Amino acid sequence: MLEFNNSTPLTLGVELELMIVNRRDYNLTRGSDDLLLLIDRQPHGYDIKPEITQGMIEIGTAIHQGSDTMLQELQGIRALLVSSAQKLNLGLAGGGSHPFQHWSEQQIYPKERYQLVSELYGYLAKQFTVYGQHIHIGCPDGDAAIRLSHYLARYIPHFIALSASSPFYQGMDTLFQTSRLTSVNAFPLSGCMPCVENWTQFNEYFQHMAGLGIVASMKDFYWDIRPKPEYGTVEIRICDTPLDIVTPTLLAAYAQMLAHRCLEDGWHDIQAAHYHTYNYNRFQACRFGFDGVLVDGAARQQTGLQEDLLSTLNALQPQARALNCEKELSLLRERALKRQSDSQWLRAIYRASGSLSEVVRRQSEHWMYGSNA
């Protein structure tokens, strides 16, 4: 049985996967061990750890009531990382995928779980050198976590469009706003959670899958949204890692406002029919971002993604007031109105320079030294 460790509702945490690049041509480099060794020589108390390949590093925040204190912690983590990276002549960058690295050149990090993933999934493990943001939202119990997971599925295209930062992959412009999710889609247990209605049903599903030898833990599910019972949270896993440290806090605030509405309203409209258009809407967001078209199967109508996002943000004003995040709501609305995305910014740099190395240099400088506002 999976026990859900109840947590304070609506508390927040984020995890960010970052690129480690050399300062010569800004390709990925196997720098995670050296960077971690240097960081750990000084007491810091931050959650900084390796990821599946050696050109990656993951940072995680503590538990926060809101995005203001989360941003302060991310600033502290960034300062520590930048100081250590400079001593090693390494660069760090956000973004959902490195524009020109080749998956065959990546090395699996020597950790037991990553080695097992590599043995099971073969080349997919190295292709998983992509970079995402995960958002954790505290839930009072397992039943609430199941309801919130289903509720948030409707808004996944919004998170994709707001975080999109991986237009280039393997040296090519993919024409997608986010190419990262195609690497995630290759895993057999990706996609969305089954249409269970409560924690008891979820446990029955998990036991069934474990009994078949398909999964051993929750980590084996690569779903876009999943309960995280050991933390007492719901985890949104769909976002690209943004190019700065402000955007992750805005995305967390958006998740918090939606969760507030879900839990306060007692939403329980869990239906398999809601997922009939899930993959199509997800694709539209990945391919076209704010210009995507969303299909409402129940209403049998189509709506522009930008229009749908702006309508949702306008409706969340009461939640923004209750959570004291009206500033974050305003910034999200401004970005949606301008169709402002990291992918757009990266493409503009490439058009001006004609160099993907220059693109990575700029995105590294932006993450390491960019504005906090």
Side-chain angles (χ1 to χ4, degrees), residues 18-313:
L18 301 170
M19 306 179 200
I20 306 174
V21 297
N22 69 54
R23 302 294 290 273
R24 186 182 67 259
D25 65 356
Y26 287 85
N27 200 351
L28 290 181
T29 190
R30 301 170 196 171
S32 55
D33 266 342
D34 289 342
L35 190 56
L36 287 166
L37 276 171
L38 189 56
I39 288 169
D40 290 340
R41 286 179 183 171
Q42 49 190 313
H44 55 77
Y46 295 129
D47 181 14
I48 305 172
K49 56 195 175 189
E51 249 298 336
I52 189 165
T53 59
Q54 296 180 30
M56 310 175 68
I57 197 165
E58 180 182 289
I59 62 176
T61 69
I63 300 168
H64 292 273
Q65 297 292 329
S67 59
D68 281 348
T69 57
M70 178 184 290
L71 179 57
Q72 292 170 14
E73 184 182 11
L74 286 173
Q75 289 167 351
I77 295 173
R78 181 177 67 174
L80 175 62
L81 284 172
V82 169
S83 172
S84 301
Q86 286 174 331
K87 293 173 184 175
L88 296 168
N89 198 30
L90 295 174
L92 299 166
S97 65
H98 187 279
F100 62 88
Q101 64 89 14
H102 290 285
W103 66 264
S104 61
E105 299 171 355
Q106 306 313 313
Q107 291 295 314
I108 301 296
Y109 191 86
K111 184 178 177 180
E112 183 180 6
R113 170 162 176 77
Y114 298 146
Q115 297 292 338
L116 289 173
V117 169
S118 180
E119 290 170 13
L120 176 61
Y121 292 114
Y123 83 107
L124 294 181
K126 289 186 177 183
Q127 279 203 329
F128 207 39
T129 305
V130 289
Y131 304 83
Q133 171 182 351
H134 299 173
I135 305 167
H136 289 267
I137 312 159
C139 293
D141 53 58
D143 288 349
I146 296 301
R147 289 192 291 113
L148 181 57
S149 296
H150 289 303
Y151 181 82
L152 290 170
R154 154 75 175 80
Y155 303 99
I156 280 303
H158 298 176
F159 286 94
I160 293 172
L162 286 165
S163 69
S165 60
S166 52
F168 303 106
Y169 187 65
Q170 303 284 292
M172 299 292 294
D173 187 331
T174 64
L175 302 183
F176 277 59
Q177 300 305 306
T178 169
S179 65
R180 165 182 159 269
L181 290 173
T182 59
S183 296
V184 181
N185 294 346
F187 287 84
L189 298 176
S190 61
C192 51
M193 184 178 76
C195 204
V196 296
E197 295 189 9
N198 52 51
W199 191 247
T200 298
Q201 288 184 14
F202 185 86
N203 252 310
E204 291 170 355
Y205 170 79
F206 179 83
Q207 290 172 36
H208 178 65
M209 296 292 280
L212 294 173
I214 296 174
V215 301
S217 75
M218 285 296 299
K219 290 183 177 180
D220 295 320
F221 295 116
Y222 292 82
W223 297 330
D224 296 342
I225 313 168
R226 70 183 182 190
K228 192 75 169 175
E230 62 268 39
Y231 292 171
T233 64
V234 163
E235 180 185 16
I236 302 172
R237 301 163 48 82
I238 199 76
C239 301
D240 283 359
T241 296
L243 299 182
D244 59 71
I245 62 171
V246 175
T247 302
T249 68
L250 300 181
L251 294 168
Y254 186 40
Q256 188 182 39
M257 286 183 276
L258 289 169
H260 185 285
R261 186 167 69 178
C262 171
L263 298 180
E264 288 294 309
D265 291 353
W267 182 90
H268 204 289
D269 186 22
I270 300 171
Q271 301 180 41
H274 292 327
Y275 287 96
H276 290 173
T277 58
Y278 181 87
N279 286 332
Y280 180 81
N281 290 341
R282 186 180 183 270
F283 163 78
Q284 283 283 315
C286 291
R287 174 65 177 86
F288 301 108
F290 293 116
D291 294 326
V293 174
L294 305 183
V295 176
D296 183 334
R300 302 182 68 83
Q301 66 181 22
Q302 297 185 355
T303 308
L305 191 152
Q306 182 199 36
E307 177 187 351
D308 190 66
L309 172 56
L310 286 169
S311 174
T312 303
L313 292 171

